[in-house]
Structure formats: C-alpha cells, structure tokens
Amino acid sequence: MISILLIEDDFNIQEALKQYIGSQDDFELVGVFSNAESFQISTWTKSPDVVLLDINLPGISGIDLIPELKNRFPNTAILMLSVNYDNDSVFKSLQAGADGYLSKETPLTKIKDAIIDINSGGSPITPAIARKVFDFLNA
C-alpha cells in the first residue's frame, strides 16, 4: 500500500485525484491540503510514501514548500503536478528536491504509474520536461 499526501488548491483537480486514488487498491490517500500554510500549521507527523504537490498554491508556493517537506519527511518522494512548463519552475522544483515532475494534463492512469515508479525509486517526468532537462544539459 502506497500512502499519498495531496497538496493541491484546484478543487476540480483535487476531487479527481481524491476519487481516483481512493478507488485504487494499492493506494491510500492519507491527507489533503489546499495550500502550504494549512499543511504547515497541521500537526501532521506520519511520513507518507509520496506527496503530490502543486506549484501554484495560494500564498507559499509548492516549490518553497519542498525543503520543509524534505526536512519533515526525508524518505518521502515528492511528485510535482503542475501546469507550469517554464524552465524556471521546472529547474527550481528539481533543485529544491522534487523527485518527479508531471503535467496536470497527464492522464490519471499515467499518474498512477508515476506514483508507483517514484515510490520504487524512479523519477518520472513528462516527455516535454525531459526534453528541457536534456536541452539544458546539452547546452
């Protein structure tokens, strides 16, 4: 069973992910937060296996929350789910400690595969993000 913490402010995306994750026998949704601040003031102590994290949260951004998540849960994988494809968002997320980066447009079945992959030590990224990384490294 893979335990998942979701931090997402878009209600429709949050609901779709909650329903999908809840319908999977091998996943357990252990918490949902709509912003970084509500997570920060929570007394959350149980380390999830995976955090699904949005970048464009109101107030503190997902990128700025990554170091706190890594400090609180050093063995937890962080999978960014974002509409941002710009180099700045991608590389700041990765530099802050994100373990994977997917588009919010990724089909739920592929998000499931990515959660399983990241929980097994992989680093799932969408092909467009992979291209940015390769272009950056080959420049």
Side-chain angles (χ1 to χ4, degrees):
M1 183 75 67
I2 299 173
S3 62
I4 300 167
L5 179 67
L6 174 62
I7 305 175
E8 168 63 60
D9 69 314
D10 184 299
F11 178 78
N12 292 327
I13 293 171
Q14 186 186 95
E15 284 302 307
L17 287 167
K18 282 169 48 176
Q19 288 178 11
Y20 185 75
I21 291 167
S23 72
Q24 304 303 305
D25 293 335
D26 46 354
F27 290 169
E28 177 186 17
L29 186 61
V30 294
V32 179
F33 294 93
S34 296
N35 57 57
E37 290 84 356
S38 62
F39 169 76
Q40 289 176 320
I41 63 171
S42 75
T43 56
W44 196 268
T45 57
K46 184 182 178 204
S47 181
D49 296 313
V50 177
V51 174
L52 298 180
L53 180 61
D54 183 19
I55 288 180
N56 292 329
L57 297 170
I60 297 171
S61 77
I63 294 170
D64 292 334
L65 185 60
I66 293 171
E68 181 174 340
L69 287 165
K70 286 293 190 178
N71 186 49
R72 235 166 151 175
F73 312 125
N75 298 316
T76 295
I78 298 175
L79 179 58
M80 305 305 289
L81 288 177
S82 183
V83 296
N84 294 348
Y85 304 109
D86 61 283
N87 288 350
D88 196 44
S89 296
V90 172
F91 290 110
K92 281 186 177 179
S93 295
L94 298 176
Q95 288 171 332
D99 301 293
Y101 197 110
L102 297 179
S103 162
K104 284 187 180 180
E105 297 169 359
T106 303
L108 291 171
T109 56
K110 298 254 186 217
I111 292 174
K112 177 183 180 177
D113 293 342
I115 291 169
I116 293 167
D117 183 33
I118 205 166
N119 189 59
S120 299
S123 292
I125 56 177
T126 56
I129 301 302
R131 176 51 122 203
K132 287 182 178 291
V133 172
F134 282 108
D135 287 348
F136 175 80
L137 294 174
N138 291 324

